Amino acid sequence: MTPPRVLVTGRVAAVEGAERTGVNAAYVRATLAGGGVPVIASPLLPPETAATLLEGADALLLTGGADIAPARYGAAPHPTVTDVQPDRDALELALFAEARRRGLPVLAICRGLQLVNVALGGTLWQDLPSERPGPVDHRGAGLPRQARTHDVTVGEGTALAEALGCRALRTNSFHHQAIRDLATGLRVCATAADGVIEGVEGTAGAWCVGVQWHPEECVDAPDAPDLGLFRALTAAARGAHPARSRRIRSGV
Ligand code: MN
């Protein structure tokens, strides 16, 4: 069977004096390891291209990155919220809406989880250390990307537990924001010890899972639970296109 095509949202950054657009290599490697073919969508593309970008795509991966503009959820910006990227917000919101309309599965990571919550009407803690201080360090400042620093508990019977194959794991953590008010249409499926939401999933429609940590950095070991998220995304993508799969199986 043709591997599912996964649209991966990208970023823009200045590197060595030039503005460049792409995505962290870990997202590409993890998508490949999960059986998908990643296609990077630059945030320079206008939101009107969302339908074109998803034409022929089998799944959407919303990646990590800068804070979402607080105006998107009706809040004034906290002083720590800098470097907002309104163009990227607009494209990703359009891609998420279009993916849902098409019944495509969505995996949303870090900023991606926050974007899904905002898209569906939820709000965010803009800065956990100052607005919701607690004993768990979610920032991971200066740590290697693979460093697993805090525990996450996963709800029984959830799509997230099924994807990971476990109900508890230690995760990496590089975020200062988190879900505050959960949007209608999502359920919490994972939390940290301090109650911060670390995973959500859609209550209806196509497979849609979001995690606050970075599973893409933790897929090197073949038995890593994090790899299960990327496998589950491609499995859901195969299920989302039954007609196409039948056509491929019959060789048409
Ligand atoms: Mn965390």
Short mmCIF file of all heavy atoms in Angstrom, two decimals, residues 138 150 173 175 198, ligand 1:
data_model
loop_
_atom_site.label_atom_id
_atom_site.label_comp_id
_atom_site.label_asym_id
_atom_site.label_seq_id
_atom_site.Cartn_x
_atom_site.Cartn_y
_atom_site.Cartn_z
N HIS A 138 8.17 22.59 33.36
CA HIS A 138 7.74 22.28 32.00
C HIS A 138 8.65 22.91 30.96
O HIS A 138 8.53 22.61 29.79
CB HIS A 138 6.30 22.75 31.77
CG HIS A 138 5.28 21.96 32.55
ND1 HIS A 138 4.80 20.74 32.12
CD2 HIS A 138 4.68 22.20 33.74
CE1 HIS A 138 3.93 20.28 33.00
NE2 HIS A 138 3.85 21.13 34.00
N HIS A 150 9.57 14.91 33.08
CA HIS A 150 8.44 14.78 34.02
C HIS A 150 7.47 13.69 33.58
O HIS A 150 7.40 13.34 32.40
CB HIS A 150 7.74 16.11 34.28
CG HIS A 150 6.89 16.65 33.17
ND1 HIS A 150 5.74 16.04 32.72
CD2 HIS A 150 7.01 17.77 32.42
CE1 HIS A 150 5.19 16.76 31.76
NE2 HIS A 150 5.95 17.82 31.54
N SER A 173 9.85 18.05 27.85
CA SER A 173 8.89 19.13 28.09
C SER A 173 9.58 20.46 27.81
O SER A 173 10.52 20.84 28.51
CB SER A 173 8.40 19.08 29.54
OG SER A 173 7.32 19.98 29.76
N HIS A 175 7.76 23.74 27.12
CA HIS A 175 6.66 24.68 26.90
C HIS A 175 6.48 25.58 28.11
O HIS A 175 6.74 25.15 29.23
CB HIS A 175 5.36 23.94 26.59
CG HIS A 175 4.90 22.98 27.66
ND1 HIS A 175 3.80 23.24 28.45
CD2 HIS A 175 5.38 21.79 28.09
CE1 HIS A 175 3.62 22.23 29.29
NE2 HIS A 175 4.57 21.34 29.10
N GLU A 198 -1.57 17.55 29.39
CA GLU A 198 -0.47 17.11 28.52
C GLU A 198 -0.97 16.36 27.30
O GLU A 198 -0.18 16.02 26.41
CB GLU A 198 0.48 16.22 29.33
CG GLU A 198 1.27 16.98 30.41
CD GLU A 198 2.48 17.73 29.86
OE1 GLU A 198 2.89 17.43 28.73
OE2 GLU A 198 2.99 18.63 30.56
MN MN B 1 5.08 19.44 30.24
#
